Amino acid sequence: MYLAAGRGGPSNAPARTVPAPPVPGRTRVASTVVALGAVSLVTDISSEMVTAVLPLYLVLGLGLNPLQFGFLDGLYNGVTAFVRLAGGHLADRRQRHKLVAGSGYALSALCKLGLLFAGGSTAALSATLAADRVGKGVRTAPRDALISLSCDERQLGRAFGVHRAMDTTGALLGPLAAFALLWVTADAYDAVFMVSFCFGLFGVLLLYAFVPGRAPHSNLNARATSLRSVFRLPADPAFRRVLVTASLLGLVSVGDGFLYLVLQKRLDLDTAYFPLLPLGSAAVYLLLAVPIGRVADRIGRRIPYLLGHLGLLGAYVTLYSPATGWPLTAAVLLLLGTFYAATDGVLMALGGPAVPPQQRAAGLALLQSGQAVGRLLASVLFGAAWTVWGMDAALALAAAALTFALFTAHFLLPARRTEPR
């Protein structure tokens, strides 16, 4: 359901805007979702080429310690929190979701060139990675709002599942491309960054060529909304509970880069094969995103979201266990892929209906920002724990923290109101 906001925020008796019923027998996903999925596919090839080699480049190539890597990894994943709200609110206020998203895609593409000139300077790398994440922060909420507003609420889980599956196809191809380039060019990271830029630029061209300028259910009176009204969205109990839950679980979700580094050290894996590690989890994500989205639409989105974090807890425990070899690798990548398939798009489908249509991008941005800030702190804290107490102690602490957060989230997350009907 859509909850309409009053002049200053959610009212005590919100009016409801009922979306048009789906056409009988029509099960095809909206064209906007498919077009945005194609853009994300190409863009993810670009971003995952860099993400796949970044831990290796920073830790083994430049010699950063775990605390320094934790800071950069947290920056890479969390700086988006500080621009998501601005991008989402601007898109809502001007009803220019495509334009705002496109500017974010373009900035991220240009930052791949910035990595060519950053060299070994931590300051330059930090600035470039921060700018890249600013681009991601600006584009994510308007893009997800376009998806949310372009289809019936009862099919949101499936729509986000299709988009995330296409996005993950790019995540599969990106590390493969990076691996091939490093193999052909004898570890020339500059070649990876240059090819990544070309794919990023192609994604921008696809967006402007094939994605509609306005969402089908865009509210033409959205100019009246204010940034203050966005911060009043948590006054709605259903949205507040989703926001607090996402932020709490983000605080105990260690980034992929760290988990892949732990796996590499446990296996003593040849660094040439490191960029291939994300492929396993991406393949699982690709296979499960749409089925889990459909299940979430049928049974409710709360259960898959919580069970997905249980999968992340399983990954922590498996990495801490005495398992070795291919069973360890397969288990960790399977659990990581399941975690993302059950949480990424499902969270947007869970939180979206609790936000008024005219504030959809800003509301989703607020939700994503809480999660991003949590993950920024998680990476920094995990890196600090690894540096001070060692890898195993850091994993044990992360597992204990996630267990407590899941227990709390079980009571925090609403079972109704934001669930599909």
Side-chain angles (χ1 to χ4, degrees), residues 59-250:
V59 175
L60 300 183
L62 302 182
L64 301 186
N65 62 41
L67 180 57
Q68 291 173 312
F69 175 71
F71 171 77
L72 287 177
D73 186 64
L75 181 73
Y76 191 68
N77 289 290
V79 76
T80 55
F82 302 103
V83 294
R84 287 180 195 266
L85 284 176
H89 176 64
L90 181 62
D92 285 335
R93 188 172 181 82
R94 302 299 180 187
Q95 288 297 286
R96 292 291 184 269
H97 297 83
K98 174 181 173 179
L99 180 62
V100 175
S103 66
Y105 280 113
L107 177 59
S108 291
L110 290 173
C111 286
K112 304 307 186 294
L113 288 181
L115 291 172
L116 289 172
F117 305 104
S121 169
T122 302
L125 283 169
S126 298
T128 303
L129 292 176
D132 178 65
R133 294 300 91 180
V134 166
K136 181 177 176 61
V138 167
R139 76 184 187 236
T140 303
R143 180 203 66 197
D144 285 349
L146 282 170
I147 295 172
S148 180
L149 293 169
S150 67
C151 57
D152 185 86
E153 178 194 328
R154 288 166 291 186
Q155 297 177 345
L156 279 179
R158 180 168 179 258
F160 277 104
V162 168
H163 174 268
R164 291 331 194 237
M166 296 181 71
D167 181 270
T168 307
T169 301
L172 275 169
L173 297 176
L176 280 176
F179 173 77
L181 280 170
L182 289 178
W183 183 72
V184 170
T185 61
D187 295 340
Y189 291 98
D190 288 355
V192 174
F193 300 149
M194 188 63 199
V195 174
S196 173
F197 163 72
C198 293
F199 273 104
L201 183 61
F202 183 47
V204 175
L205 296 177
L206 283 178
L207 176 76
Y208 282 102
F210 296 105
V211 176
R214 291 180 182 271
H217 302 302
S218 292
N219 190 325
L220 298 179
N221 296 320
R223 293 176 184 269
T225 63
S226 66
L227 190 58
R228 181 178 298 178
S229 69
V230 175
F231 288 105
R232 289 177 180 171
L233 287 174
D236 178 84
F239 181 74
R240 181 173 63 249
R241 286 173 176 266
V242 177
L243 175 62
V244 172
T245 300
S247 302
L248 175 64
L249 291 175

Side-chain angles (χ1 to χ4, degrees), residues 282-302:
V284 174
Y285 188 171
L286 176 62
L287 292 173
L288 296 182
V290 175
I292 289 180
R294 286 175 173 169
V295 170
D297 286 339
R298 288 199 298 266
I299 70 171
R301 292 148 193 161
R302 172 179 178 268

